[in-house]
Amino acid sequence: FAAAVERCEAGCDSLGPGPGPGHERSLFLTSFAEVKCSLCVVGIQALAEMNRWREVLSWVLQYYHVPEHLPPKVLELCILLYSKVREPQVMLEVGSSWLRAHANQSLPEFGSLLELYLAQVLLPLGRFEGAEELVRGCATFDSEQQLEFLGTICESRCRWTQREETCSAAEEQQDPATETVLGVLSQKLLTMLMLLRRALRSMSNHFYLLPYKKMLLATFLLYLVVVRLDPASPTSLPFIYKLVQLFRQAWAAVLSPIHRPPIRD
């Protein structure tokens, strides 16, 4: 596909306006336009196959320069491609410029391209006023054709309005459900916090009921293990005596005689 794109580019670059006036020049220009259109069609298909569809419009316009000069077949492929990838807004201005050009309104493909542009670009984007203005401003349509297109636009507008009302009703129904879920979650969180508070209070009460003498003895033994102090050594007796005195002073400072818990052996 990359090679096909390169060959199409080389072919479009090599084409030029034929020399000579008169009928021969007209035939040459017609052949030139057909060959150039065919090369662009192949290039568009190759770019789409390589998933380079974002480059298609700019790639085509580098050979036709303005949207009004695009061949009907090239414009049709671009509209179908960007509609398929759900990017119809890319063709919004290009299609409008091509359809408003008076030279294009006399082409036999104009009616089908206008219908395609309405169905694939304007109506999916909700541009109903622009669609009605485009149909009413088309001089090539008679009153019956205009009424047919306007009826199609009206039906699409009604479907669009019904779809919006349905989405709004669904959102309104979803809001109370969301509030209910949030209320249930808040209630569960509050219950968990209350249970956690009770657990912490129970643990604190249990801690205060522990015998302090056993706690001090366990702390002392842990210190001996960590420091590796030998209690039977004569050099450690003064240190142990000072440590016991320190524990007694801490005991007297923390607990008053009135609230001091009884020490059980």
Side-chain angles (χ1 to χ4, degrees):
F1 295 111
V5 173
E6 293 178 358
R7 292 177 182 177
C8 292
E9 291 176 347
C12 290
D13 292 334
S14 64
L15 290 176
H23 187 64
E24 294 181 355
R25 177 181 174 86
S26 177
L27 289 176
F28 181 85
L29 290 177
T30 302
S31 177
F32 160 79
E34 292 177 353
V35 172
K36 188 176 181 180
C37 177
S38 300
L39 290 173
C40 288
V41 168
V42 175
I44 292 172
Q45 294 175 347
L47 290 172
E49 291 292 340
M50 292 188 296
N51 200 24
R52 294 169 55 185
W53 52 268
R54 294 179 179 85
E55 308 173 22
V56 166
L57 185 59
S58 59
W59 184 82
V60 169
L61 289 178
Q62 70 179 337
Y63 300 113
Y64 290 97
H65 305 296
V66 292
E68 293 84 350
H69 295 168
L70 291 176
K73 184 62 177 178
V74 173
L75 180 64
E76 179 184 3
L77 281 179
C78 291
I79 293 176
L80 292 174
L81 174 62
Y82 285 100
S83 175
K84 184 177 180 180
V85 297
R86 298 182 180 180
E87 296 287 342
Q89 67 276 4
V90 176
M91 297 300 299
L92 190 61
E93 297 297 333
V94 175
S96 177
S97 300
W98 194 93
L99 291 170
R100 294 179 187 276
H102 293 286
N104 295 328
Q105 294 182 4
S106 59
L107 296 175
E109 301 90 350
F110 180 81
S112 60
L113 282 177
L114 176 58
E115 186 176 1
L116 181 66
Y117 180 71
L118 291 175
Q120 302 295 336
V121 179
L122 290 182
L123 299 185
L125 294 175
R127 303 296 184 95
F128 304 109
E129 295 180 358
E132 293 175 353
E133 180 183 356
L134 184 62
V135 171
R136 290 193 176 98
C138 182
T140 59
F141 288 164
D142 54 20
S143 58
E144 185 177 353
Q145 290 176 323
Q146 286 186 356
L147 288 176
E148 183 179 355
F149 281 113
L150 292 176
T152 303
I153 296 171
C154 183
E155 292 177 1
S156 180
R157 188 199 295 269
C158 293
R159 289 194 297 268
W160 181 283
T161 304
Q162 292 176 358
R163 186 163 57 249
E164 286 186 344
E165 292 177 352
T166 304
C167 293
S168 301
E171 291 178 356
E172 292 178 357
Q173 293 178 359
Q174 187 177 3
D175 290 340
T178 304
E179 293 178 357
T180 304
V181 172
L182 292 176
V184 172
L185 292 177
S186 301
Q187 186 66 27
K188 289 184 178 180
L189 180 60
L190 182 60
T191 304
M192 292 176 61
L193 291 176
M194 292 178 65
L195 292 175
L196 180 61
R197 180 183 177 185
R198 292 176 183 175
L200 292 176
R201 182 180 298 176
S202 176
M203 290 175 61
S204 62
N205 294 334
H206 181 70
F207 176 78
Y208 284 116
L209 292 177
L210 291 176
Y212 285 88
K213 186 176 181 180
K214 293 182 179 179
M215 291 180 59
L216 293 176
L217 180 59
T219 305
F220 175 66
L221 294 176
L222 179 62
Y223 178 79
L224 293 180
V225 172
V226 174
V227 184
R228 296 183 179 180
L229 184 64
D230 187 7
S233 177
T235 57
S236 62
L237 291 178
F239 178 76
I240 295 175
Y241 177 75
K242 290 182 180 180
L243 187 61
V244 172
Q245 293 294 329
L246 181 63
F247 282 147
R248 288 180 177 177
Q249 291 176 6
W251 179 273
V254 174
L255 297 175
S256 62
I258 300 175
H259 300 91
R260 185 177 300 166
I263 300 177
R264 294 174 293 180
D265 294 335

